[in-house]
């Protein structure tokens, strides 16, 4: 027998209470980490943005398009090595209208090379007799040579149960009509935080099928020297300042951050929720520990009579509290990480949700802190307990 | 020199604003190897005197010297260590830890003996339990033992560290006659066979007759 045996024996004294307390802390830490997963995901979204790329959008709002006429003027600017564009399609799957996923019309021959560092093609339809343009993944031949072709993220493929080569129907909301697409390639994100739930298809298809009504949602600019981003941003916006469609240009990371901020002050709400949960943990743990210690007052008197020091009993009580809170806390935080990572929880239009290890460790640290705080008061009371007072409660 | 010297001890408890005197200038000496019974009505100060001798309470004034050590001069921490080495305490209600087996209960005070290995602790606890006739109840929890057996485990716990002084606060007060007799015989054995000094508080004249000396307290003073 040793100190650990004593701690464990005492925790086993009232198994139901110990289990329920541990479970409550498990749930609280699970909620804490799951809620924090929202901010983690939003941060991932911001981090996906590349500092060496710029995004140019309509100055008034992202929902207003830019004319294609801007393209050549941007491309001609010094320091800009490549320009591509994309457009938000905003369609819905008629088979499952409540299941949202993003669709972008892209200029594939310029977009895919620019985002080659972000997206990896993991599967593609064979295309006998045709080839992809030079500099592109050769497996994209079928996609590049078929107007209605689409590239789908592997997470979306799995979720929808789609197969390569399958024709799918998407109902347009911004661009009305029933649109048919053929799945010709599947991508997997190369960078953490980029989602695998998006569909890309040819902008030309959108343009032609929308009676040439489609413009450009955003231009993406690749820079020769990211250190000159500030200067180029000013130049681009100055060029179009007096045009019918003035622009707002920013780094891709700033653009993503701006997009995230459209969701409101979620981090504040999350922090408040997290704080409330942490406070609830503290109260539950403290209440339990206090009750457990009160029940054992006479036993502590006996232990002191036997010669156990105040410090020993202080450590004993603190260890019991820490074990309950840490046990529940570690399990809850890890469960949140692995449940969220399993992909069963998702925010629409955001990368796959994840609980960062930093959040897990913050949760565990919080549990340890709660254990210390909830154990300190009863431990202190136990240490200060006078033997004669404790033993008086025996009779 | 006596093993226990209580010199002109006063003990006053405070209850809110009230001062309650329990011992009033009490002096007594107990020789090594003595078996002494403290008797007296409830509230006479028997348990308080026992607590002062055992170093679990401090006198308001006066001196308590045990084995040459004035316990009033020790810090709380030193006093705890001193108790673990010198005192074996037996309670009326046994006060075993319900979550520990008989063997673990007896092993408990040995956790405080520095440098003693786990195996040695177990062996000594087994030996103590065999002395009290419970070698076949090592893995029983207190709830699985009779009152008499629990008190014998408590006695084994009190002697396992080989203390010089055993203090027993009404050790038979909660036992039937047969168990009480067994416990008293055990205390006699510890006194005569192992030369342990025993101070026993009791209300039972029959139990007190086992002692070498009976001391009566009344209202905080020795009455005869």
């Amino acid at each position: 027998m040793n100190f650990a045996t004593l701690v464990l024996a005492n925790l086993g004294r009232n198994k139901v209470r110990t289990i329920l307390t541990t479970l409550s802390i498990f749930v609280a830490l699970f909620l804490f980490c799951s809620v924090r997963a929202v901010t983690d995901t939003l941060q991932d979204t911001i981090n996906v943005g590349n500092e060496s790329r710029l995004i140019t959008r309509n100055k008034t709002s992202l929902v207003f398009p830019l004319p294609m006429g801007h393209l050549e003027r941007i491309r001609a600017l010094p320091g800009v090595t490549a320009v591509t564009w994309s457009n938000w399609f905003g369609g819905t799957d008629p088979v499952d209208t409540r299941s949202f996923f993003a669709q972008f019309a892209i200029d594939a021959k310029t977009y895919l090379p620019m985002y080659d560092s972000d997206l990896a093609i993991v599967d593609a339809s064979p295309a006998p007799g045709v080839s992809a343009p030079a500099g592109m993944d050769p497996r994209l031949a079928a996609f590049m040579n078929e107007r209605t072709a689409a590239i789908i993220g592997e997470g979306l493929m799995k979720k929808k149960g789609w197969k390569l080569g399958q024709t799918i129907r998407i109902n347009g909301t911004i661009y009305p009509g029933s649109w048919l697409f053929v799945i010709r390639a599947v991508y997997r994100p190369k960078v953490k935080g980029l989602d695998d739930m998006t569909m890309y298809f040819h902008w030309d298809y959108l343009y032609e099928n929308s009676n040439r009504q489609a413009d450009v949602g955003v231009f993406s600019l690749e820079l020769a020297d990211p250190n000159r981003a500030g200067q180029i941003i000013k130049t681009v916006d100055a060029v179009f300042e007096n045009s019918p469609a003035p622009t707002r240009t920013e780094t891709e990371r700033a653009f993503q951050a701006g997009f995230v901020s459209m969701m409101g002050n979620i981090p504040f709400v999350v922090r408040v929720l997290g704080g409330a949960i942490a406070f609830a943990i503290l109260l539950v743990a403290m209440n339990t520990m206090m009750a457990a210690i009160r029940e054992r007052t006479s036993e502590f008197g006996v232990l002191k009579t036997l010669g156990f020091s105040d410090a020993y009993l202080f450590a004993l009580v603190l260890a019991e509290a820490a074990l309950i809170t840490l046990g529940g806390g570690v399990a809850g935080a890890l469960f949140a990480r692995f449940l969220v990572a399993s992909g069963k929880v998702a925010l629409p239009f955001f990368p796959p949700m994840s609980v960062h290890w930093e959040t897990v460790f913050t949760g565990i640290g919080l549990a340890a802190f709660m254990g210390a705080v909830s154990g300190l008061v009863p431990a202190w009371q136990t240490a200060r307990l006078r033997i004669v007072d404790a033993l008086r409660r025996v009779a | 020199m006596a093993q226990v010297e209580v010199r002109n001890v006063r003990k006053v408890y405070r209850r809110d604003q009230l001062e309650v005197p329990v011992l009033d200038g009490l002096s007594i000496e107990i020789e090594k190897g003595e078996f002494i019974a403290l008797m007296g009505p409830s509230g006479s100060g028997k348990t308080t005197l026992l607590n002062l001798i055992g170093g679990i309470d401090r006198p308001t004034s006066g001196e308590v010297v045990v084995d040459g050590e004035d316990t009033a001069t020790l810090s709380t921490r030193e006093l705890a260590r001193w108790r673990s080495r010198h005192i074996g305490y037996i309670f009326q209600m046994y006060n075993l830890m319900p979550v520990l087996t008989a063997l673990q209960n007896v092993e408990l005070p040995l956790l405080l003996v520095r440098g003693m290995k786990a195996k040695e602790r177990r062996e000594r606890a087994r030996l103590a339990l065999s002395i009290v006739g419970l070698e076949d109840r090592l893995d029983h929890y207190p709830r699985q033992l009779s009152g008499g057996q629990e008190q014998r485990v408590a006695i084994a716990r009190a002697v396992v560290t080989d203390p010089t002084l055993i203090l027993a606060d009404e050790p038979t007060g909660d036992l039937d006659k047969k168990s009480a007799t067994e416990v008293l015989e055990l205390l006699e054995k510890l006194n005569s066979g192992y030369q342990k000094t025993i101070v026993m508080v009791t209300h039972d004249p029959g139990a007190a007759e086992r002692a070498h000396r009976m001391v009566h307290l009344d209202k905080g003073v020795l009455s005869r």
Side-chain angles (χ1 to χ4, degrees), chain A residues 321-356:
Chain A
L323 207 62
I324 287 180
T325 53
L326 269 180
V330 169
L334 289 177
F335 184 66
R337 176 172 166 87
F338 293 115
L339 182 79
V340 171
S342 72
K344 289 188 168 58
V345 190
L347 281 177
F349 199 56
F350 282 93
M353 284 185 71
S354 65
V355 176
H356 291 179

Side-chain angles (χ1 to χ4, degrees), chain A residues 1-2 5-6 9-10 13 299 302-312 386-388 391-392 394, chain B residues 15 51 56-57 76-77 80 83-84 89 91 93 95 97-100 104 107-109 111-112 121 157:
Chain A
M1 192 175 64
N2 51 33
T5 317
L6 263 184
N10 282 321
R13 169 188 304 262
E299 278 186 25
V302 172
L303 287 171
K304 286 192 177 192
T305 304
L306 295 180
F308 285 87
S309 66
D310 296 348
Y312 193 100
R386 292 177 67 237
I387 300 175
V388 284
L391 292 178
R392 195 172 289 132
V394 176
Chain B
R15 294 280 173 268
N51 290 344
I56 61 178
D57 203 358
T76 307
R77 189 187 180 89
R83 277 196 305 273
S84 72
Y89 210 102
F91 301 90
M93 300 298 291
N95 287 345
M97 306 289 279
V99 292
L100 301 180
Q104 288 173 325
E107 206 183 323
L108 202 53
L111 288 178
L112 302 170
R121 285 201 300 265
R157 181 178 66 184

Side-chain angles (χ1 to χ4, degrees), chain B residues 7-220:
Chain B
R7 296 178 197 142
N8 199 26
V9 161
R10 274 189 85 237
K11 181 66 188 176
V12 178
Y13 286 116
R14 280 184 190 280
R15 294 280 173 268
D16 301 321
Q17 300 301 315
L18 283 176
E19 285 196 346
V20 182
V22 181
L23 297 179
D24 190 13
L26 186 145
S27 296
I28 186 172
E29 290 189 353
I30 301 166
E31 298 299 327
K32 190 166 175 58
E34 223 183 334
F35 185 171
I36 180 170
L38 287 177
M39 298 189 74
S42 294
S44 59
K46 305 183 296 293
T47 298
T48 300
L49 178 58
L50 203 68
N51 290 344
L52 293 176
I53 294 171
I56 61 178
D57 203 358
R58 295 173 189 270
T60 307
S61 64
E63 278 183 350
V64 178
V65 180
V66 181
D67 289 329
E69 189 93 62
D70 182 355
T71 55
T73 62
L74 300 176
S75 69
T76 307
R77 189 187 180 89
E78 288 167 340
L79 201 54
R81 284 196 70 188
W82 178 85
R83 277 196 305 273
S84 72
R85 289 175 181 173
H86 294 266
I87 304 294
Y89 210 102
I90 301 165
F91 301 90
Q92 179 184 351
M93 300 298 291
Y94 338 127
N95 287 345
L96 300 177
M97 306 289 279
V99 292
L100 301 180
T101 64
L103 185 70
Q104 288 173 325
N105 264 291
V106 176
E107 206 183 323
L108 202 53
L110 297 176
L111 288 178
L112 302 170
V113 180
R114 283 185 185 167
M116 187 179 283
K117 296 218 162 52
K119 190 179 173 189
E120 191 184 347
R121 285 201 300 265
R122 273 197 302 277
E123 288 309 315
R124 282 187 68 165
R126 274 201 187 97
L127 178 64
L129 280 165
S130 70
I131 289 172
V132 300
L134 288 175
E135 60 271 37
D136 57 342
R137 295 285 189 273
L138 302 181
D139 296 324
H140 285 59
Y141 286 91
R143 64 178 180 277
Q144 297 167 323
L145 300 171
S146 69
Q149 287 172 331
E150 279 197 75
Q151 192 60 299
R152 279 149 67 191
V153 173
I155 292 171
R157 181 178 66 184
V159 299
V160 74
T161 53
D162 196 22
T164 52
L165 183 59
I166 293 174
L167 306 176
D169 192 358
E170 300 194 44
T172 58
D174 203 50
L175 298 177
D176 59 55
K177 194 169 182 181
K178 181 172 175 289
S179 298
T181 304
E182 285 171 1
V183 164
L184 290 168
E185 283 171 357
L186 202 49
L187 290 176
E188 279 183 318
K189 181 178 160 187
L190 290 172
N191 176 246
S192 58
Y194 296 87
Q195 287 76 50
K196 299 295 176 193
T197 308
I198 298 176
V199 182
M200 177 177 71
V201 166
T202 184
H203 279 110
D204 178 7
E209 279 175 10
R210 304 263 183 170
H212 303 157
R213 180 159 61 119
M214 277 186 256
V215 175
H216 288 261
L217 270 85
D218 194 11
K219 295 176 183 169

